Amino acid sequence: MSILEVKNLSAGYGKRLILEDISFEVNDGEICGIIGLNGSGKTTLIKGITNIIPHSGNAFIDGQDASLLSSNILASLCGFIPQKSGISIDLPVLDVVLMGFNPKLKLLQNPNSYMISKARAMIKTVGLEGRENDNFQKLSEGQKQLVLLARALASDSKILLMDELESYLDFKVRYKTMNLIKNLVKTNNMGALLSMHDINLALNTCDKLILIKDKKIADTIYPKTDLVADIEHKLSSIYGEVSVHKIKTDANHEQMVMLNRPEE
C-alpha cells in the first residue's frame, strides 16, 4: 500500500526551477533513498512534499493531499527531520522530543503521562538514554539529529521524511541508526523517504533509490533485486565512472560497495 504518492511535482526558488515533473511512490514498510549530486534537488523535493516551499503537482500522504491539509494534520502524518533543527533556545532533550506531540495538543495543553513515557522510550531507542535533561544546544550535531529522530518516532507518523540524516553521524552510528529506522518502518508499516549523500549506506539499507539528475528522476535502483552491472551503470550516469561490487563481511553478510574508477 502506498504511504506517499508524489505526482508531477515541480518546485524551486523564485523563478529558478530545481525539480520538474517528479512522480514516485513509497509503500508501507519501505525505505526510499533520494540520491544525486549536490544541488540536484534532494532537499527541494522533501521541502516541496512538506509544503515548506511553493510547488506544483501533488503529494498524497496516506491518501490525503498534503497541500490541502492543515499544518497540524500534516505534522501528525509526517515525521520531518531537517538538516538543521531550527531550535535556537535552551531546552532539555525530553522537551524537544515532546514537541512531536504538539499537533495532538490543544493550546497551552501539557503532554500527558503516556506522551512523556513514549518520549522517554524513543530517547532510549535512539541510544540517548540518560540524556533526557541535557541541554539540546550542548549536544553534538550528530546527537541533535538523533534527538530529532526520537521526536519523529514519538509522534507515530505515517512516513518519516529525513534530509541528510547521516551527514552528522559517524560511520558506526550511521549504520546503527539506519538499521533502527529499517526495523521500525517495517514493524509499524510506516514509510521513510531520505535524501542521502552516503551511497554505500544507501545501497545497503534502502529498498529503493531514486536518482535525481537535470531536474528529473533519471532512474530508480532496487538494490536487493537489480543486477550489479545495472546498478553500476545507473550510478555512473550520475557520479561518473564508478564500479560496484558485492562483498562478504567477516560475519558472512553480503554488502554492496561503490568505488571510484580512476581515469587511466
Side-chain angles (χ1 to χ4, degrees):
M1 177 182 173
S2 174
I3 292 292
L4 171 67
E5 184 179 6
V6 177
K7 288 186 174 182
N8 309 114
L9 189 143
S10 298
Y13 305 91
K15 296 182 178 180
R16 184 183 173 211
L17 196 63
I18 304 296
L19 296 173
E20 186 175 3
D21 199 28
I22 300 292
S23 298
F24 66 94
E25 293 184 7
V26 179
N27 295 318
D28 56 11
E30 185 175 62
I31 296 181
C32 178
I34 313 165
I35 60 176
L37 298 177
N38 289 341
S40 60
K42 301 185 295 294
T43 297
T44 300
L45 176 55
I46 290 179
K47 287 183 175 180
I49 292 170
T50 52
N51 295 335
I52 294 175
I53 60 173
H55 63 276
S56 61
N58 303 91
F60 296 92
I61 301 171
D62 200 29
Q64 302 181 70
D65 190 338
S67 64
L68 303 179
L69 299 176
S70 68
S71 57
N72 271 2
I73 293 177
L74 183 59
S76 68
L77 291 173
C78 295
F80 177 46
I81 304 174
Q83 291 183 33
K84 293 286 187 179
S85 70
I87 299 171
S88 57
I89 60 175
D90 293 334
L91 285 173
V93 165
L94 180 60
D95 285 3
V96 174
V97 176
L98 285 170
M99 288 178 180
F101 294 105
N102 284 351
K104 301 178 181 180
L105 296 172
K106 296 179 181 179
L107 184 64
L108 302 180
Q109 182 182 4
N110 292 322
N112 58 36
S113 58
Y114 167 79
M115 294 174 178
I116 294 172
S117 177
K118 183 73 178 292
R120 289 183 179 278
M122 291 303 100
I123 292 170
K124 180 179 180 180
T125 295
V126 301
L128 294 176
E129 185 178 16
R131 308 295 297 273
E132 292 87 352
N133 296 318
D134 286 10
N135 186 346
F136 179 80
Q137 299 298 342
K138 302 297 183 181
L139 300 181
S140 70
E141 291 301 321
Q143 289 170 332
K144 288 179 181 178
Q145 290 296 94
L146 292 175
V147 173
L148 297 183
L149 174 59
R151 182 179 69 181
L153 294 173
S155 62
D156 295 324
S157 304
K158 290 291 184 179
I159 187 161
L160 299 175
L161 300 174
M162 293 170 271
D163 192 7
E164 298 180 12
L165 174 69
E166 85 273 26
S167 295
Y168 296 108
L169 303 178
D170 61 42
F171 179 80
K172 184 176 181 180
V173 177
R174 286 184 184 189
Y175 277 85
K176 183 178 179 180
T177 302
M178 283 299 295
N179 285 329
L180 166 65
I181 293 169
K182 190 172 184 177
N183 289 335
L184 289 167
V185 162
K186 295 186 183 303
T187 300
N188 298 298
N189 292 322
M190 304 164 63
L193 179 67
L194 303 83
S195 69
M196 303 184 73
H197 273 305
D198 188 332
I199 306 306
N200 290 329
L201 180 68
L203 286 170
N204 289 297
T205 56
C206 293
D207 300 297
K208 177 169 65 181
L209 297 176
I210 294 171
L211 282 65
I212 303 290
K213 182 180 180 181
D214 298 330
K215 302 179 183 179
K216 297 181 179 293
I217 293 180
D219 227 319
T220 304
I221 291 174
Y222 298 88
K224 295 178 182 177
T225 57
D226 284 357
L227 296 175
V228 171
D230 290 338
I231 294 173
E232 183 176 279
H233 175 72
K234 292 174 181 179
L235 290 174
S236 292
S237 71
I238 301 290
Y239 299 103
E241 291 299 316
V242 299
S243 60
V244 176
H245 306 272
K246 280 189 176 181
I247 62 172
K248 291 283 185 72
T249 67
D250 290 341
N252 209 34
H253 294 148
E254 197 171 69
Q255 288 199 330
M256 221 178 305
V257 294
M258 183 184 83
L259 302 173
N260 182 49
R261 183 178 292 164
E263 296 180 5
E264 297 182 0

